[in-house]
Amino acid sequence: MANTASSTIDPREAAHFGSMAADWWDPKGSSAMLHKLNPVRLRYIRDALDRHWPGHDQSFRPLAGRRALDVGCGAGLLAEPLARMGAALTALDAAEENIAVARSHAEAQGLTIDYRATPVEQLEDSGFDLVTSMEVIEHVADPAAFIAALAQKLAPGGLMILSTPNRTPLSRLAMITIGESIGGIPKGTHDWHKFINPDELTKLLEDAGLEVIDSAGLSFTPAKGFILSSSKAINYLLTARHRQG
């Protein structure tokens, strides 16, 4: 199915992730790898928030009074911690099945999150202080249009934080050859040719009027599992903001 002007969602990708909805919250289920990644991603996000909006480093709710948007939220693994940090949170996913699970889980946790099965391009709201999209851009039909849509939702002075696999021989080995065989990643999740390297993603962000202000690698060690590191060979995170001046 071809991409349309109104959405960068790839319907085949949406169907794939929708089929995983039922056990998304099972740390030993089809999303096991995301459960392992999530604490490291949250540490990076928290550090970025504390640098950008200082004075809340001792607070459990550094996003209190701020609006956040999580795009490609799945069943809410990242959205729920962001809501607990105090954000007025909107979370989008292409799969209706994921949104249904996310709403049910959030309600059981006593969390108020505005979940929508809506493409970001069709979201009328904008002016979000924080925009996140984790492990999503490698699944969309048009990465440049997707980044442009995210940028349009970001408030002046806001932060955008993205994570995605790099396109390297090591990422192919780790995430597809090994990961989709024995490592807790469902088969068919990734197309290595759609992975985006840091220079390419930086260019997409710059073309959308943003500038990258921080980056970190996500690496794996047998002793500690996933860690933030200087190596971006497998996976990486970028923080961007509207270009200054």
Side-chain angles (χ1 to χ4, degrees):
M1 183 172 176
N3 180 34
T4 69
S6 62
S7 171
T8 58
I9 290 171
D10 184 329
R12 292 165 300 181
E13 297 276 8
H16 173 78
F17 286 103
S19 70
M20 296 158 51
D23 68 342
W24 200 289
W25 280 96
D26 180 357
K28 296 182 180 178
S30 59
S31 297
M33 190 64 69
L34 292 179
H35 282 269
K36 294 180 174 70
L37 275 173
N38 213 38
V40 188
R41 299 191 306 195
L42 284 165
R43 191 173 310 126
Y44 180 85
I45 291 170
R46 180 61 199 255
D47 288 346
L49 297 178
D50 288 343
R51 284 193 304 270
H52 194 66
W53 292 299
H56 301 282
D57 54 321
Q58 300 301 316
S59 171
F60 289 113
R61 294 170 58 82
L63 287 171
R66 300 194 185 278
R67 301 172 66 232
L69 174 67
D70 184 31
V71 179
C73 63
L77 288 189
L78 184 71
E80 288 196 4
L82 292 177
R84 288 192 176 94
M85 289 186 195
L89 183 65
T90 300
L92 312 179
D93 199 82
E96 292 272 5
E97 302 93 329
N98 288 341
I99 292 299
V101 171
R103 285 175 177 154
S104 176
H105 196 275
E107 183 178 347
Q109 302 295 313
L111 294 171
T112 300
I113 298 172
D114 182 7
Y115 280 117
R116 306 187 199 181
T118 302
V120 65
E121 297 84 359
Q122 295 175 18
L123 181 69
E124 294 183 0
D125 297 348
S126 61
F128 291 94
D129 301 296
L130 175 67
V131 174
T132 59
S133 189
M134 303 293 172
E135 315 302 310
V136 175
I137 190 172
E138 70 271 21
H139 301 291
V140 305
D142 185 339
F146 179 69
I147 291 295
L150 295 182
Q152 290 172 1
K153 304 305 176 188
L154 185 64
L159 278 186
M160 183 185 299
I161 302 178
L162 309 175
S163 72
T164 193
N166 199 349
R167 192 177 65 257
T168 64
L170 187 58
S171 72
R172 187 201 293 263
L173 175 66
M175 302 192 70
I176 300 176
T177 306
I178 297 174
E180 293 192 14
S181 298
I182 61 172
I185 302 174
K187 289 185 182 299
T189 295
H190 294 114
D191 178 350
W192 182 81
H193 297 92
K194 293 178 70 175
F195 288 5
I196 296 175
N197 69 43
D199 287 343
E200 291 166 342
L201 184 51
T202 296
K203 179 67 164 55
L204 293 179
L205 290 162
E206 290 175 346
D207 288 348
L210 305 179
E211 60 181 354
V212 174
I213 58 173
D214 188 72
S215 64
L218 274 168
S219 299
F220 182 83
T221 69
K224 296 182 178 179
F226 287 101
I227 59 170
L228 295 174
S229 77
S230 59
S231 173
K232 301 181 179 70
I234 296 177
N235 201 302
Y236 62 97
L237 298 118
L238 292 181
T239 302
R241 66 183 181 191
H242 285 292
R243 190 175 297 121
Q244 305 293 297

